[in-house]
Amino acid sequence: MKKLSFQLTLIIALSVSVALLAGCGKDDTYTQEEGKVNVVTSFYPLYFFAKEIGGEHAHVVNLIAAGVEPHEWTPKSRDLDAASKAQLFLYNGAGLEGWVDGFLKGLGSGSQVLTVEASQGIELIQGNPEHGHKHEGEQTDATGTEAEHSHEGEETDHDHEGEDAEHSHSDLDVDPHTWTSPRSALVMAANIRDAFVKVDPENAAAYESNYSNLEKQLRELDDIFTQELAGYKRRDIVVSHQAFGYLCRDYQLNQIAIMGLSPEAEPRAQDLLEIAKFVKDNGIPYIFFEELVSEQLADTLAREAKVDTLVLNPLEGLTPEQEKAGDNYFTLMERNLKNLQKALQ
């Protein structure tokens, strides 16, 4: 029998669970607040930007809990229910949320939610080494793109019929990690501001003011990255996950990634040997790993190349410890900058 579509699966799951949800008591995470714009975001950076811009006029909830890797997450019926009752649903797009097409269809014709793809307007980076295994001499260049594997002009197939929790974005030919650069984050923040103004024009002045404060911080962060990273002769960084293309493009760095656009993708042994050789030949002092996925590959490569490891955070989400400590987009980006400076010395 043909598999049910992801959309239909969501709708059925939602209808079956309505009675159960009604009897389970309230979950504060998904409550609606009267008199405020209720916003649902797909992952942490959008949650942070929406909270900053919405201010006192917004009630913002994030679908993905602290410590959960967004690439491995899929929505449940309660997530669909929360989004369908909100005024705004913000998602990154560019292929990050492989589940989003079915999710949006599952919202239903009666939903009044405004759905916004926050990455709209950003010049996206094309190319995915998970499709064309890159070898020595084919590393991502300083623009963050791969000349040998460009797929410009190709349409991405967003038909997720028969796909479910196993779907990842590794089949796409575009880098979705737009938020890792403050310059791209500025575009995303402006899109979120426009969405607030559209759904709540009465408080447009407050949203504009809040956005101006966030814009100022992002521009200052951009200036700091530009100034602090400009003076280093070394421009190569070795990362566990190809999540820093936009940052590298904007600050003239070159990322060499152990894994591709999806952190669960397994590299070939030949790729690891070639990267280890690159690290040794070029005197790379550190290999970067990220906190929400296993650092086993980065550690293995670091031992092989006899170098150390450092964290470079792709800001896809907070760990529970970071959440408890009050970390946010800016504190994590500042930490990234310090580690980049250490690795480029």
Side-chain angles (χ1 to χ4, degrees), residues 129 132-140 146 149 236-239 254-259 267-284 287 297 300-302 304-305 307:
H133 294 289
K134 67 177 191 261
H135 304 286
E136 193 171 0
E138 294 182 21
Q139 279 88 14
T140 307
E146 290 183 283
H149 301 292
D236 296 319
I237 59 171
V238 177
V239 299
N254 173 39
Q255 70 171 336
I256 296 92
I258 301 171
M259 295 173 284
R268 301 179 306 170
Q270 181 182 351
D271 297 327
L272 291 174
L273 290 173
E274 289 174 353
I275 295 172
K277 184 177 185 301
F278 180 88
V279 169
K280 292 175 182 176
D281 290 349
N282 291 275
I284 304 294
I287 293 174
L297 273 173
T300 300
L301 187 59
E304 169 64 24
V307 298

Side-chain angles (χ1 to χ4, degrees), residues 136-304:
E136 193 171 0
E138 294 182 21
Q139 279 88 14
T140 307
D141 63 23
T143 65
T145 60
E146 290 183 283
E148 296 298 320
H149 301 292
S150 175
H151 297 270
E152 286 188 23
E154 294 185 9
E155 289 187 6
T156 301
D157 180 8
H158 289 288
D159 183 3
H160 300 283
E161 293 265 338
E163 297 182 21
D164 50 25
E166 295 181 1
H167 177 82
S168 76
H169 67 231
S170 62
D171 59 330
L172 301 180
D173 289 310
V174 64
D175 186 344
H177 304 90
T178 53
W179 62 92
T180 58
S181 168
R183 295 183 196 174
S184 294
L186 279 163
V187 178
M188 299 169 70
N191 288 338
I192 294 170
R193 172 205 58 194
D194 293 345
F196 271 111
V197 171
K198 186 171 183 178
V199 298
D200 185 22
E202 290 184 5
N203 291 305
Y207 301 134
E208 292 284 358
S209 176
N210 292 342
Y211 166 76
S212 293
N213 292 333
L214 178 60
E215 179 190 29
K216 180 182 178 184
Q217 293 180 77
L218 287 170
R219 291 197 184 280
E220 288 174 352
L221 187 64
D222 174 36
D223 289 342
I224 292 170
F225 265 76
T226 300
Q227 294 164 14
E228 296 295 328
L229 296 178
Y232 296 98
K233 184 177 180 181
R234 188 191 307 279
R235 310 308 293 172
D236 296 319
I237 59 171
V238 177
V239 299
S240 61
H241 170 203
Q242 191 196 350
F244 303 96
Y246 295 91
L247 184 145
C248 288
R249 179 176 70 183
D250 290 341
Y251 305 105
Q252 292 75 56
L253 301 176
N254 173 39
Q255 70 171 336
I256 296 92
I258 301 171
M259 295 173 284
L261 295 176
S262 54
E264 70 272 16
E266 291 291 336
R268 301 179 306 170
Q270 181 182 351
D271 297 327
L272 291 174
L273 290 173
E274 289 174 353
I275 295 172
K277 184 177 185 301
F278 180 88
V279 169
K280 292 175 182 176
D281 290 349
N282 291 275
I284 304 294
Y286 294 98
I287 293 174
F288 286 113
F289 70 94
E290 58 188 80
E291 293 157 306
L292 293 183
V293 297
S294 171
E295 67 266 30
Q296 182 177 355
L297 273 173
D299 284 341
T300 300
L301 187 59
R303 285 195 300 271
E304 169 64 24

Side-chain angles (χ1 to χ4, degrees), residues 3 7 19 36 41 45 59 62 69 76 80 118 157 175 232 235 261 277 287 339:
K3 278 188 176 182
Q7 170 197 354
K36 292 190 176 184
T41 61
H59 173 61
N62 193 39
E69 216 290 324
K76 298 178 174 62
L80 184 65
D157 180 8
D175 186 344
Y232 296 98
R235 310 308 293 172
L261 295 176
K277 184 177 185 301
I287 293 174
N339 284 349

